[in-house]
């Protein structure tokens, strides 16, 4: 993956701005393209983190599917 820079909120397209962050099972949007996934350790459990990039605005997102913590989910990583 290329280097990313932290996006300001005004760089997010309308669809990205509408994503509910930090809530497991919140939906993304149709222009998010999956770029891979990885396993990370969270205490005694392993969680899957999937990376997405918005084809419209270039925002890079991680989605953490942590069944032990409902307050995980979408987070902005940066911008391509």
């Amino acid at each position: 993956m290329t280097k990313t820079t932290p996006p300001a909120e005004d760089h997010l397209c309308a669809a990205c701005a509408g994503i509910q962050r930090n809530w497991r099972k919140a939906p993304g949007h149709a222009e998010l393209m999956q770029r891979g996934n990885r396993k990370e350790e969270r205490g005694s459990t392993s969680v899957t983190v999937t990376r997405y990039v918005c084809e419209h605005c270039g925002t890079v997102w991680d989605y953490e599917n942590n069944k032990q913590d409902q307050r995980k989910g979408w987070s902005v990583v940066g911008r391509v």
Side-chain angles (χ1 to χ4, degrees):
M1 175 144 247
T2 61
K3 288 187 176 186
T4 61
T5 57
E9 290 295 316
D10 60 341
H11 289 118
L12 298 177
C13 65
C16 280
I19 292 176
Q20 182 180 5
R21 298 179 197 176
N22 303 314
W23 196 255
R24 199 171 145 271
K25 293 189 179 182
H29 68 80
E31 292 185 81
L32 292 176
M33 297 302 294
Q34 186 174 335
R35 297 292 184 214
N37 58 48
R38 64 190 183 277
K39 294 281 187 183
E40 291 186 5
E41 297 299 318
R42 298 285 188 265
S44 62
T45 62
S46 179
V47 300
T48 301
V49 179
T50 306
R51 171 105 358 135
Y52 293 86
V53 177
C54 177
E55 288 188 322
H56 183 75
C57 67
T59 301
V60 180
W61 292 87
D62 274 352
Y63 180 80
E64 182 175 326
N65 190 12
N66 185 344
K67 295 177 182 175
Q68 305 300 316
D69 189 349
Q70 183 64 35
R71 290 191 171 89
K72 297 298 179 186
W74 293 104
S75 59
V76 175
V77 176
R79 189 166 181 212
V80 180

